[in-house]
Amino acid sequence: SGVEHTTKLSLQTLNNGQTLDNADHQQFSMVCQVVHGQVIHLQKYEPSDLSPGTPVPDEDSVVFSKLTYVGCASVNAPRSEVEALRMVSILRSQCQMPLDVTLSVPGVSEGTVRLLDPQTSTEIANYPIYKILFCVRGHDGTPESDCFAFTESHYNTEIFRIHVFRCEIQEAVSRILYSFATAFRRSANKAPLAAKAPPLTPDSDVFTFTVSLEIKEDDGKGTFSAVSKDKDRQSFKLRPGMVKKIVIYVQQTSNNELAIERCFGLLLSPGKNVKNSDMHLLDLESMGKSSDGKSYIITGSWNPNTPQFQAVNEETPKDKFMYMTTAVDLVITEVEEPVRFLLETRVRVCSPNERLFWPFSKRSYTETFYLKLRPVRTSSNTERKSNSDTLYEVVSLESETERERRKTTASPGILSCGSHDNDEPLLSGSGDVSKECGEKILETWGDLLSKWHLNLAVRPKQLPALVRNGVPEALRGEVWQLLAGCHNNDHLVEEYRTLITKESPQDSAITRDINRTFPAHDYFKDTGGDGQDSLYKICKAYSVYDEEIGYCQGQSFLAAVLLLHMPEEQAFSVLVKIMFEYGLRELFKQNFEDLHCKFFQLERLMQECIPDLYTHFLNLSLEAHMYASQWFLTLFTAKFPLYMVFHIIDLLLCEGISVIFNVALALLKTSKDDLLQTDFEGALKFFRVPVPKRYRSEENAKKLMELACSMKVTKLKKYEKEYHTIREQQEQQEAPIERYERENRRLQEANMRLEQENDDLAHELVSSKIALRKDLDNAEEKSDALNKELLITKQKLVESEDEKRRLEEESAQLKEMCRRELDKSESEIKKNGSIIGEYKQVISTRKEGSEEDTDEEKEALKNQLREMELELAQTKLQLVEAECKIQDLEHHLGLALNEVQAAKKTWFNRTLSSIKTVTGAQGKESV
């Protein structure tokens, strides 16, 4: 009854409360589990039900039909109910072209919300659950009561969009929000509640996190730009009074990843070694996974003008700096309590007029953390809660800085196996290599390189002796290219630029390994940094270049070593040379036959040079592949310090793959006394942890390399022949049935691979046919539309010709009318001219005989004069009317001519040209 009451209460809350936040839904998700089966139908999809080209939905997904997609818009406050409801109202009222869709909501937080076409079930768009931040429905009694919406982070965490939907069945709105609540909840464990946690290997309880801090300031243009860092002091350079943002990037570099659920809090405080009470909570703006899924990003706003941050808002004296502490609390699904990562960084508050963009180094501060966990211990009578995913409790959390600080305070020398430091393996990319070198050595190398450049086809005689002592770090990039024969590699450089634009079938494996390659080196530790970007491109290019081998884990470490000494195009060329010409490529063949041969050769060399250690390993059943695989596959680059790694690559490029045996034997000889005292597990741990750490000391590494160079490894060819002879004997002695079974398994694997390829090709063929059919249908529809347009255009052409003839006839009539009126006007003008002449003559006659005329004549002349004046006035009036009529006719004539001319130039010409284009195109098609 308690569950039923809670269910009714939650139903009422959801119907009236309107909102749902993807942040903390533990109580509500338990209710959804109870109600879920009653109000929603879960659809299970079988592969046979799916047509080709149709995306496969999540197994446990809830599908809602009869929905209309109203539209989307950008929002500034993705978790604001007021803002969301305002956008729902606007988009619903302004929607002119609604789109019918089917909505698929997953049942787990790792799923994806999909919009599907209701007719074809093809996917229109998808939104991962971790990007969806907020859900809202319209209030009851409003026009928006049949609508719901969700906000999501678009492309990155600083752009947010709201998507609005309308339901034909209003009651479905509540059901849809139930489904979102189910998706928002924590991922439930599929194992039984009483199941025990999986057994832990020695290192599986240690998880590595790389946490980066970036500070952004308001640039006054409405955007936030990352602040620079002082190149020498590695301190952030801030401006006083500027509003800022804190961005935290959390990336996991260990093999087993934990599920980061959300950020519990982002805190900040001036100073170093601050107390918890001194930390100040910042306003969270966003949280969630990055678009590529590699890291978890938290963004918070920071107003430095508040009193608690006054210390980091006042200008710092020149050549001084201060500390600032940032903390981020993360809720991790498998861990009982939130985990806090503390970052202590240097900052300088600069003058507003100071140039901040030069010099600078990386714009983020990165720290590596080691989280040690242990399984939660529960009694046999105590059952864990059904909604709890907790597997571990925190034992310790230590940063790389704290570890290094502890190492410097410890006693010098090789650490014992029982020390805490030896429990953790050395991270790849550890150790600094100085570019300083004696003048005499540089002069010797300078003379050698000058002579070498004169004849690059021949190596100088003194080169091997110099290489055995190590190539100067400043010259390694040039020397490595010369040793590999890549001095004239323009064709590989051009090919590389083409290869990086192609898709790699092993992209996911490359992306996964990039984050784990040289995490201790500054150039490669930043997610999305220049180092990781170049490393990804080289590995991707090689996987496309060498299709038979593709990508293998050892390549990323070797490529990283090369990138530290040369641009990526040259690094790719040297990598290709090493893989193809130094025998490394053969180690990665599918059956690893060459690699097993190397292990056999190493064991025979041990039997010859270190017989007591060989016997000890034989008694322990410790085989070479158990400890030497990484030595051969990564050329010692994965675990050993860089000083030693670089020297090994020097020797490899100069003397070949046999150098690996020299170094391996030298390692075994120097570690013999310690290894003779170990058991099986102790020996494996010794190879994994103390051996690489021993050579953090440059002096120890030099002694080891001197020993390796002094050893003469012979009989490799003999041992290789012996290995192949033994293999042949084993195959001959093998029972026919076993041999046939092994061959059958091999053929079955090949057959399965070919069937998979055949299925892929068939799927691609079907998809291509569907695409071609769709293109053909579109072409036919376009052809029909063009034919209709052609008929309409022809009709318009006939009408235009008729209109043209009518306008020409009217124009001819107007011309004839104008001609007649002009003739009449000219005759009238001549007549008026004669009348005016007569009038002038009468006037002159009147003046001459005015004295002699009688009164009667005067009266007669006056009458005649009045008549002539009246006739003259009438003539002038007719002349003016004629001129006005002429002007009017000329105006109409001009308009008619303009209309005819415009019709000819514009619509008529365009119509004729479109007809010519269409008829010409159809003519070409028919041909």
Side-chain angles (χ1 to χ4, degrees), residues 49-80:
D49 297 335
L50 300 174
S51 59
T54 302
V56 180
D58 294 331
E59 280 192 358
D60 292 335
S61 61
V62 188
V63 179
F64 299 93
S65 58
K66 296 184 179 181
L67 301 180
T68 300
Y69 182 73
V70 176
C72 71
S74 298
V75 290
N76 296 323
R79 298 180 187 273
S80 170

Side-chain angles (χ1 to χ4, degrees), residues 233-249:
R233 297 179 180 271
Q234 290 296 305
S235 57
F236 287 103
K237 302 173 75 173
L238 310 178
R239 290 183 184 272
M242 294 289 185
V243 177
K244 300 173 176 61
K245 287 185 179 181
I246 297 292
V247 185
I248 301 290
Y249 302 85

Side-chain angles (χ1 to χ4, degrees), residues 322-338:
M322 65 183 70
Y323 280 94
M324 181 183 76
T325 301
T326 308
V328 58
D329 294 328
L330 296 181
V331 176
I332 299 176
T333 302
E334 298 91 343
V335 183
E336 280 187 325
E337 66 271 10

Side-chain angles (χ1 to χ4, degrees), residues 215-346:
I215 303 177
K216 295 184 177 183
E217 283 185 342
D218 188 355
D219 58 3
K221 300 178 182 179
T223 59
F224 286 80
S225 303
V227 303
S228 59
K229 287 176 63 181
D230 186 272
K231 188 174 182 180
D232 299 323
R233 297 179 180 271
Q234 290 296 305
S235 57
F236 287 103
K237 302 173 75 173
L238 310 178
R239 290 183 184 272
M242 294 289 185
V243 177
K244 300 173 176 61
K245 287 185 179 181
I246 297 292
V247 185
I248 301 290
Y249 302 85
V250 182
Q251 182 180 346
Q252 301 184 55
T253 56
S254 51
N255 290 333
N256 297 325
E257 291 191 2
L258 298 171
I260 299 176
E261 183 178 333
R262 59 191 173 92
C263 174
F264 188 71
L266 181 61
L267 303 100
L268 186 69
S269 175
K272 187 179 181 182
N273 298 323
V274 299
K275 301 177 182 178
N276 288 337
S277 58
D278 296 332
M279 301 293 291
H280 304 284
L281 193 65
L282 300 181
D283 293 333
L284 285 174
E285 290 190 357
S286 64
M287 66 182 80
K289 287 187 178 181
S290 58
S291 57
D292 57 7
K294 294 180 181 178
S295 54
Y296 194 88
I297 306 176
I298 304 105
T299 305
S301 58
W302 171 24
N303 184 2
N305 298 313
T306 54
Q308 56 265 33
F309 299 124
Q310 188 64 29
V312 286
N313 198 35
E314 297 176 349
E315 187 174 338
T316 308
K318 193 174 183 181
D319 298 330
K320 299 286 185 181
F321 61 87
M322 65 183 70
Y323 280 94
M324 181 183 76
T325 301
T326 308
V328 58
D329 294 328
L330 296 181
V331 176
I332 299 176
T333 302
E334 298 91 343
V335 183
E336 280 187 325
E337 66 271 10
V339 180
R340 169 169 291 187
F341 297 98
L342 278 173
L343 300 171
E344 294 179 344
T345 55
R346 293 179 176 182

Side-chain angles (χ1 to χ4, degrees), residues 448-460 482 487:
L448 180 139
L449 290 174
S450 299
K451 295 178 182 178
W452 197 358
H453 278 288
L454 297 176
N455 186 6
L456 294 172
V458 180
R459 292 182 177 181
L482 293 174
H487 48 277

Side-chain angles (χ1 to χ4, degrees), residues 45 50-51 53-55 57 102 115-124:
Y45 289 87
L50 300 174
S51 59
T54 302
T102 298
L115 299 187
L116 308 175
D117 188 311
Q119 302 297 328
T120 63
S121 296
T122 55
E123 184 176 293
I124 301 173

